[in-house]
Amino acid sequence: MKDLDALKKQLARDGRLQRLQEIADSTDGQKLAGALDAQKIEQAARAGDTETLRQILTQVLSTDTGQRLAGKVKDAMQDG
């Protein structure tokens, strides 16, 4: 958990956290969030179930919306 806290602080310091939040709050971000089963994702992440997480990610990236958001996240993380 410390690693995640440190990452969040670093992202906030260099402005990437704000850009990621804007992506999440966008129409595409909200559309995708509404289509995902947050409880299933959380359970898989807590259990370390990488196969389920991989399947979810594959499903997301098979959509135009998912591909658009992935590109925006990639750009936001690279600009740091």
Side-chain angles (χ1 to χ4, degrees), residues 1 19 24 26 55 64 73:
M1 209 54 173
R19 289 194 298 265
S26 71
Q55 289 172 357
D64 290 340
V73 168

Side-chain angles (χ1 to χ4, degrees), residues 27-73:
T27 302
D28 278 346
Q30 293 299 306
K31 180 179 176 181
L32 184 61
L36 295 174
D37 182 344
Q39 186 175 9
K40 181 178 180 180
I41 294 169
E42 181 180 355
Q43 288 173 346
R46 287 185 186 276
D49 184 353
T50 56
E51 180 57 25
T52 295
L53 293 171
R54 186 195 63 75
Q55 289 172 357
I56 292 167
L57 184 57
T58 299
Q59 183 179 13
V60 165
L61 292 176
S62 72
T63 67
D64 290 340
T65 301
Q67 289 177 14
R68 263 193 316 274
L69 286 172
K72 290 177 183 179
V73 168

Side-chain angles (χ1 to χ4, degrees), residues 16-30:
R16 290 184 285 176
L17 185 61
Q18 179 63 33
R19 289 194 298 265
L20 292 173
Q21 188 62 55
E22 289 168 2
I23 293 167
D25 291 342
S26 71
T27 302
D28 278 346
Q30 293 299 306

